[in-house]
Amino acid sequence: MSLTEVDWSLIPAPSDDGRADHLQGMALADVELPSTDGSSVNPSQLRGWAVIYVYPMTGRPDRDLPEGWDDIPGARGCTPQSCAFRDHHAELQSHKVDHLFGLSVQDTAYQAEAAARLHLPFPLLSDAKGVFGTAMKLPGMEVEGKALHKRLTMIVRDGEIKKVFYPVFPPDSDADNVIDWLRKNAG
C-alpha cells in the first residue's frame, strides 16, 4: 500500500456533529491568508467558482504524527485528500473551477514542504492564527494541545458558499464528490 492508499475500513469514520450546518449560504470571511505560492489570498474576494478543502494537518516523512492520530475520527487522510485534488486538478478546471486551495492551521513553511513533496499544482493557505476558522466558526478539534480544523470542503461561487461537504470520509473520494456536485449544479 502506498503513502496515499489507506484501508479506510480500519480508520474510524467521523460523524456529522452539525457543526458545519451554518456554512452553506455564508459569505467567506474577509481575511488575508498567506499562500504557499508566496501571495496573500483573501477568500472573500475570489470571483468565479472556488473549491477550498480544509484539513487538520499533513504529516511529514521526517516527523511523527501525534500519538493516536489514526484513532481520531476524521484525522487521517490529509495526504490522500490533497493527492486526489492534485490528480483531478485539470478536471476541476474543466468544470469551471477558477480557484482551488487546501487550507490548514499549519504555517506556510510547513505547508510549502507538503506542496512541493506532493507536487500540488495549486497553493495551500495557512490559517495558522486561526482567523479564518474563527470568523467562519469552522468545526475544530484539539490534538496534543493544538487547535486544528476538522476536514470539510466548501464549493464557493463569487465568495458565497454554495455547497459544504462535512464530514468528508474517506478523504481520497473528496475530489470525486466535488466534481459530481459541480457536474450537476455548476451549469
Side-chain angles (χ1 to χ4, degrees):
M1 212 175 271
S2 77
L3 177 65
T4 60
E5 293 175 12
V6 178
D7 182 349
W8 297 111
S9 69
L10 302 176
I11 307 293
S15 59
D16 188 347
D17 56 12
R19 293 176 53 205
D21 291 351
H22 65 285
L23 292 170
Q24 197 156 310
M26 279 183 72
L28 291 175
D30 185 10
V31 298
E32 293 287 329
L33 297 171
S35 167
T36 54
D37 68 6
S39 69
S40 188
V41 175
N42 183 330
S44 73
Q45 301 301 310
L46 298 174
R47 294 297 158 247
W49 287 101
V51 174
I52 301 173
Y53 68 95
V54 179
Y55 58 94
M57 63 174 277
T58 52
R60 286 177 59 151
D62 61 340
R63 298 184 188 171
D64 290 334
L65 289 169
E67 183 73 30
W69 185 252
D70 287 356
D71 298 325
I72 302 168
R76 176 78 186 263
C78 302
T79 296
Q81 181 183 28
S82 291
C83 290
F85 277 106
R86 176 199 64 203
D87 296 347
H88 290 290
H89 185 250
E91 189 174 0
L92 286 158
Q93 289 177 316
S94 76
H95 286 288
K96 303 179 185 170
V97 172
D98 301 301
H99 312 279
L100 173 60
F101 300 103
L103 182 145
S104 76
V105 300
Q106 294 166 298
D107 67 38
T108 305
Y110 190 104
Q111 291 177 325
E113 183 282 330
R117 177 172 36 88
L118 301 175
H119 307 287
L120 301 181
F122 53 85
L124 301 176
L125 302 178
S126 174
D127 189 25
K129 295 180 181 174
V131 294
F132 185 78
T134 299
M136 299 299 297
K137 297 181 179 149
L138 294 181
M141 61 181 162
E142 188 174 308
V143 178
E144 294 185 348
K146 175 96 171 140
L148 304 174
H149 298 319
K150 286 188 173 183
R151 186 182 320 280
L152 63 84
T153 299
M154 298 175 283
I155 301 175
V156 180
R157 174 78 180 176
D158 296 330
E160 181 184 326
I161 302 169
K162 300 295 184 182
K163 175 67 178 169
V164 177
F165 291 97
Y166 177 82
V168 173
F169 192 82
D172 61 353
S173 66
D174 194 21
D176 289 326
N177 293 333
V178 167
I179 290 166
D180 186 53
W181 188 92
L182 289 166
R183 190 177 290 129
K184 294 173 184 171
N185 298 281

